[in-house]
Amino acid sequence: MYDETTARAARRAADAADDLVELTPATSPARRSSTPAFSFSRRVVALAVSSALSVGALFAFAYASRGGDVDAAGESAEIAVPAAAASAAAAGFADRSQEVSRSSVRDNLTAAVADENAQERAAAMGASVESAAEAEWMTNASERQRLMDADMQLVSAQSAKLKKEAEEAARKLAEAKKAAEAMGVSTSGMSAKEIEDLTTKGGSMPVKSNYRIGAGFGATGSWSRYHTGQDFPAPVGTPIYAVASGVVLSPTAGGWAGINVVIQHSNGGSTLYAHMSGKKVRTGQTVKAGQLIGYVGNTGRSFGAHLHLEYYKPGVTPGDVYAASNPMTFLRSLGVR
């Protein structure tokens, strides 16, 4: 088949060359026969055209033969797939539910362990902070005692002033009582409100919300000697109320108390409210039980926001901490539970 096709292509090329030569203009028969260059050109052109057509025919035959072979192979043979590729594909589509389940369990266990470790670190950090604070307090016990001794000297120097204020408060309380007995007629320039304040009976808790009961009177620990009042831990800004009616005295000069309020009561005793963030009353003002006098803070020598309440019996200078009495006993005497 190859020889026959090639021969046909060669004959077509020769015929085309003859036609091309016939179409070439000639001047005369004599000149055509006598010009060897022109005859050579005819042969060259014929040979080139014949070669081109032969090559084209050859490629056409090869392409046709290849197409037939591919089609025949496609009908009768399967595509060969490497064994490694087939194995990988099978593994990719295999049932992996058990492996996924194990992976999920591992992820859950990892998360649980991480959470537990985080909680342990937080607890350890909190314990470390508390231990450091306690160690600092205990290490500086002598320094705290020195500061408290200095405060007591200030309180002693303030004693005369507070005694005079206490006497004036007692006078107001006595006159308020007389005025109340005389149908509310005010005396010594006191207003009806002042008389009402000073003659109000009963008592009140110093804090009424968001608090808890802290260290009590007489407790030992990080204090210079012992705890001299009753603590009420509460957030900064929690309202503080007068536990009973009375007259506001000057705050104690002891720096340990920070911002503080002192109130003289009708029985001659007084209460001290320490570590406040701010106060709402002034010296000489009358207050009644349950009246707002300030807010919980963390001022002075305080470790954490709380109210420190102290009670001083009649004749004891407010701020003389080691002469203070249990304030909870005083609250119970007012009917406060």
Side-chain angles (χ1 to χ4, degrees), residues 52-313:
L53 293 176
S54 298
V55 171
L58 179 61
F59 274 104
F61 172 75
Y63 180 79
S65 299
R66 179 178 179 274
D69 293 341
V70 170
D71 292 341
E75 292 177 359
S76 60
E78 295 181 356
I79 298 175
V81 179
S87 177
F93 288 100
D95 184 9
R96 302 177 62 192
S97 59
Q98 185 175 2
E99 180 180 351
V100 171
S101 177
R102 288 196 299 269
S103 178
S104 299
V105 171
R106 284 196 298 270
D107 291 343
N108 291 336
L109 288 175
T110 301
V113 170
D115 183 61
E116 183 177 355
N117 290 339
Q119 293 179 2
E120 290 178 355
R121 285 195 298 271
M125 185 176 296
S128 298
V129 171
E130 292 180 1
S131 298
E134 182 69 17
E136 181 181 0
W137 275 92
M138 299 307 294
T139 302
N140 297 329
S142 59
E143 176 64 12
R144 293 199 307 276
Q145 186 60 56
R146 185 189 68 79
L147 293 173
M148 186 59 74
D149 291 343
D151 284 344
M152 292 304 97
Q153 292 178 5
L154 294 174
V155 171
S156 179
Q158 189 188 23
S159 178
K161 177 183 178 182
L162 289 174
K163 184 178 180 180
K164 186 175 181 179
E165 290 180 359
E167 291 174 352
E168 178 63 18
R171 185 188 67 80
K172 281 187 177 182
L173 288 163
E175 290 184 355
K177 184 178 180 179
K178 291 179 181 179
E181 292 173 352
M183 303 300 293
V185 177
S186 62
T187 60
S188 301
M190 284 192 298
S191 66
K193 181 181 182 306
E194 290 177 318
I195 296 173
E196 179 185 358
D197 289 344
L198 296 177
T199 56
T200 299
K201 303 296 183 181
S204 170
M205 279 290 291
V207 286
K208 299 179 181 180
S209 62
N210 298 328
Y211 74 93
R212 60 185 177 84
I213 302 297
F217 180 81
T220 58
S222 58
W223 303 276
S224 295
R225 298 182 189 171
Y226 60 88
H227 199 233
T228 58
Q230 176 64 54
D231 283 350
F232 298 89
V236 172
T238 301
I240 299 174
Y241 306 94
V243 298
S245 61
V247 179
V248 178
L249 306 182
S250 294
T252 181
W256 67 270
I259 299 174
N260 66 94
V261 169
V262 176
I263 300 176
Q264 172 98 7
H265 302 291
S266 59
N267 69 341
S270 59
T271 49
L272 186 155
Y273 309 76
H275 309 311
M276 302 169 82
S277 60
K279 54 185 179 181
K280 297 286 292 181
V281 293
R282 65 185 185 282
T283 301
Q285 179 181 340
T286 61
V287 295
K288 61 182 177 181
Q291 180 175 330
L292 176 67
I293 61 173
Y295 305 96
V296 170
N298 193 27
T299 58
R301 291 199 288 279
S302 168
F303 189 72
H306 69 290
L307 166 66
H308 176 83
L309 176 68
E310 294 192 342
Y311 175 71
Y312 299 91
K313 292 181 177 179

Side-chain angles (χ1 to χ4, degrees), residues 5 7-17 49-50 53 57:
T5 302
R8 284 200 301 270
R11 284 194 297 271
R12 285 198 298 271
D15 294 338
V49 172
S50 176
L53 293 176

